[in-house]
Amino acid sequence: MAKYYINADRRLSKINKEIYGQFSEHLGRCIYEGIYVGEDSEIPNVNGMRKDVVEALKEIHVPVLRWPGGCFADEYHWKDGIGPKEERKKMINTHWGGVLEDNSFGTHEFMELCRQLGCETYVNGNLGSGTVQEMSEWVEYMTFDGLSPMTQLRARNGHPEPWKVDFFGVGNENWGCGGNMTPEFYANEYRRYQTYVRQYGAGEGEPGIDNPTLIRKIASGPNIDDTDWTHGVLATLFRHCENRFHGHTDGLSLHYYTHPEGWEIKGSATEFDEKTWYKTLAKTLYMEDLIRMHGAIMDQYDPERKIGLIVDEWGTWFTVEPGTNPGFLYQQNTMRDALVACINLNIFNKHSDRVKMACIAQMVNVLQAMILTDGPRMVKTPTWHVFDLYQLHQDACLLESFIETEEIGMEEEYMVPNLSESASVDEKGKITITIGNLSVTEDYPVMTRITGIGDRNKVSARILHNRMDACNTFDEPDQVSSEVFEGVRLVHGGLEFTIPRCSVLLITLE
Ligand code: AHR
């Protein structure tokens, strides 16, 4: 019997809703086909955005959307994507599949998509191949409310009102596809570029990742365990800045993908054995080490934690589906992806004192997607279902919790704990508990003791449970789907239940 302790009297950090963020790049069929089909398409759409996809994304309450990349961001010139569509510059997306980019989805379309989703905007600027002036003018075009050449241009293009940019990335992966820079060179460039990312709105209070009245600026952070980058960037950002501006930044990104067989081989998304299952989950759990590792360096410079660690690319990265363009990164999604999402989201919740935003890669048809499309057809993936179960954590308060686990697995190097959990309480006092069972073969009885349970006596639960390689296909779209779970009993001071193998369980208590 696993013992699970939750202290409802000990509220820790706020779980920013942005931890449940998404990422959409001009890559493969993410934007084009997956989201944007154009107004003349036979696929039902509103202003060119697929109705079915937008509806499905609204169900999981996408809080924030990052765009246009990724590596694409440092090759993107925003003026190519405004004005009459037929006049927009066409180009080859050399980075992703060598296909034609007609720029029919640009700034106005992104803002329209966010309007339909009701989400915040995270725009990633081009530091790698763009100019300071170009970045500065983009921010002016999007957010300035006065009279200027950029606002006149915006008005001529049909949008006199400014938009709100909530987060702005100053470059992406500048250690690699964003210009192959050294940390010191990037940080100096960052300081210069961000100076001209003006705060045009009134803005109130101190800069910092949690101040929504300002554009929060995100610096390009480390790849995986590159602590040299984190040290180098922060040291340069904090030189001669008197700490007043928190190193000129509100966030530092971290990118970490789960590749079960390593970067070169990756492995199939759907055909894998139990050993690979545990290897995948063990590699996913490394996310917690990375957060601790980079978080400790951030603590040296920013002990008050005004700068967020922004995990704006995470998820599984497998070999593409047979027969598809290798540059499109299209992969299926199984219960294994569901457990990867469950583990990562529980880790982000537990570290929400430092992790202030996370964007899974990517929202539709690319890598660990929420949604897959095929012409007019659409399926919600197992990962969509995890985001659906976890949405009650958004903006709730993390609770102190601890679960006794045992090590399971098939290879010494890739042992994992059998269970992963996190718990939160919302402003009405409702407790949300999310638990994953990482075992392919074993069900586990769990006895939960909740300190400060008070008079809460209404329990409900939903579960996502299936065989390890189960997935949703266009012919069978509902094979993996969450359902009501009746197995949770309220006992004096807590809960008892048996969590089935290979499952993600949501319990609420009010
Ligand atoms: O998400 C796919 C790519 O992975 C992004 O473009 C890049 O930032 C990362 O290497």
Side-chain angles (χ1 to χ4, degrees):
M1 173 84 73
K3 295 206 180 78
Y4 182 25
Y5 304 97
I6 298 172
N7 186 350
D9 289 333
R10 202 157 135 69
R11 294 166 186 229
L12 305 174
S13 41
K14 181 177 166 210
I15 299 173
N16 278 3
K17 63 175 192 278
E18 289 85 3
I19 282 178
Y20 292 83
Q22 300 281 334
F23 171 36
S24 59
E25 182 167 7
H26 287 238
L27 193 177
R29 297 185 302 112
C30 181
I31 298 283
Y32 300 111
E33 286 186 44
I35 298 167
Y36 183 73
V37 287
E39 290 170 22
D40 300 334
S41 171
E42 285 178 3
I43 297 175
N45 68 83
V46 175
N47 298 327
M49 313 296 159
R50 287 180 74 128
K51 265 188 178 172
D52 53 352
V53 170
V54 168
E55 277 314 310
L57 293 170
K58 279 169 78 171
E59 281 181 68
I60 56 172
H61 291 104
V62 171
V64 62
L65 182 58
R66 177 175 183 238
W67 170 85
C71 293
F72 185 78
D74 281 289
E75 292 187 14
Y76 183 60
H77 300 285
W78 68 272
K79 284 185 184 162
D80 297 348
I82 55 169
K85 296 208 173 175
E86 57 290 356
E87 289 170 24
R88 292 189 192 177
K89 208 183 258 182
K90 297 190 173 39
M91 62 186 266
I92 298 297
N93 188 337
T94 42
H95 208 96
W96 299 118
V99 290
L100 185 75
E101 164 64 65
D102 69 0
N103 278 304
S104 56
F105 189 97
T107 305
H108 291 249
E109 290 73 22
F110 172 67
M111 293 295 178
E112 168 61 11
L113 172 62
C114 292
R115 187 194 67 77
Q116 291 188 23
L117 292 174
C119 73
E120 293 175 320
T121 55
Y122 177 5
V123 175
N124 210 117
N126 177 349
L127 178 143
S129 70
T131 63
V132 177
Q133 182 181 356
E134 190 181 350
M135 186 180 285
S136 177
E137 286 182 343
W138 197 9
V139 174
E140 183 185 329
Y141 185 89
M142 291 186 285
T143 63
F144 187 40
D145 200 9
L147 184 67
S148 81
M150 286 305 114
T151 59
Q152 287 176 313
L153 181 59
R154 187 181 69 217
R156 281 202 299 281
N157 288 332
H159 209 278
E161 298 301 319
W163 294 287
K164 183 158 175 5
V165 171
D166 296 287
F167 302 91
F168 192 86
V170 184
N172 167 72
E173 296 197 349
N174 301 90
W175 39 262
C177 65
N180 285 305
M181 299 173 185
T182 63
E184 292 75 22
F185 182 81
Y186 167 70
N188 280 319
E189 288 291 273
Y190 173 92
R191 289 175 72 127
R192 190 162 71 102
Y193 275 70
Q194 71 78 35
T195 305
Y196 305 95
V197 174
R198 305 279 190 211
Q199 303 283 358
Y200 290 106
E204 288 161 19
E206 287 244 327
I209 192 67
D210 286 323
N211 184 345
T213 69
L214 299 171
I215 299 176
R216 269 79 40 93
K217 300 174 190 175
I218 314 296
S220 170
N223 185 33
I224 318 177
D225 58 354
D226 186 355
T227 49
D228 183 50
W229 181 271
T230 306
H231 264 301
V233 167
L234 290 179
T236 307
L237 292 187
F238 274 82
R239 272 190 82 192
H240 299 300
C241 86
E242 298 161 3
N243 272 3
R244 257 183 320 140
F245 304 114
H246 314 303
H248 309 281
T249 191
D250 304 303
L252 183 74
S253 68
L254 164 66
H255 291 180
Y256 174 56
Y257 286 96
T258 303
H259 305 292
E261 305 296 352
W263 171 251
E264 294 299 332
I265 303 174
K266 299 191 183 76
S268 163
T270 49
E271 286 169 25
F272 55 90
D273 56 17
E274 285 187 29
K275 270 191 186 168
T276 312
W277 163 275
Y278 289 112
K279 195 190 274 190
T280 310
L281 300 190
K283 290 194 172 188
T284 302
L285 285 152
Y286 186 50
M287 180 66 88
E288 185 153 36
D289 296 6
L290 294 174
I291 292 169
R292 290 207 172 104
M293 203 183 281
H294 296 293
I297 301 169
M298 292 173 81
D299 282 348
Q300 290 173 26
Y301 294 91
D302 172 40
E304 289 177 37
R305 303 195 173 171
K306 298 273 187 193
I307 302 177
L309 185 60
I310 308 297
V311 191
D312 54 15
E313 290 189 28
W314 67 272
T316 55
W317 190 323
F318 300 123
T319 306
V320 297
E321 286 305 301
T324 64
N325 186 330
F328 280 16
L329 310 186
Y330 176 74
Q331 64 191 42
Q332 246 299 358
N333 196 293
T334 66
M335 274 306 290
R336 179 172 57 158
D337 294 80
L339 267 295
V340 168
C342 152
I343 292 168
N344 273 314
L345 293 172
N346 282 339
I347 292 173
F348 299 151
N349 287 350
K350 294 254 179 201
H351 291 273
S352 49
D353 56 342
R354 183 56 93 180
V355 177
K356 298 296 180 173
M357 173 157 66
C359 304
I360 188 170
Q362 298 192 6
M363 194 158 73
V364 186
N365 287 335
V366 170
L367 301 175
Q368 189 175 348
M370 305 303 105
I371 286 168
L372 303 177
T373 67
D374 174 26
R377 301 194 290 177
M378 179 204 93
V379 292
K380 294 169 177 168
T381 64
T383 301
W384 181 95
H385 286 283
V386 174
F387 274 73
D388 184 35
L389 295 179
Y390 275 61
Q391 57 177 295
L392 291 170
H393 285 307
Q394 290 192 25
D395 276 345
C397 203
L398 178 71
L399 288 177
E400 184 178 57
S401 62
F402 171 77
I403 196 160
E404 285 179 357
T405 57
E406 54 187 83
E407 279 210 325
I408 56 169
M410 301 176 79
E411 294 169 288
E412 209 179 312
E413 217 186 323
Y414 300 115
M415 300 299 279
V416 298
N418 56 340
L419 301 165
S420 155
E421 64 75 38
S422 66
S424 69
V425 62
D426 72 8
E427 54 190 21
K428 292 190 179 134
K430 179 170 173 172
I431 294 176
T432 295
I433 302 165
T434 45
I435 316 180
N437 182 344
L438 281 57
S439 171
V440 188
T441 51
E442 304 298 317
D443 306 340
Y444 296 104
V446 179
M447 183 201 283
T448 310
R449 287 286 159 259
I450 305 178
T451 305
I453 192 167
D455 55 5
R456 295 178 182 90
N457 60 9
K458 197 170 149 230
V459 187
S460 57
R462 290 191 75 80
I463 195 161
L464 189 67
H465 168 49
N466 215 308
R467 35 164 240 285
M468 67 176 185
D469 55 356
C471 62
N472 291 331
T473 63
F474 296 104
D475 294 329
E476 288 183 286
D478 295 315
Q479 290 212 95
V480 183
S481 178
S482 75
E483 51 193 39
V484 171
F485 182 67
E486 304 281 8
V488 183
R489 293 173 303 283
L490 191 62
V491 293
H492 182 66
L495 306 167
E496 278 182 13
F497 55 91
T498 294
I499 183 166
R501 69 200 72 171
C502 190
S503 70
V504 182
L505 176 63
L506 160 74
I507 303 172
T508 59
L509 180 59
E510 51 194 315

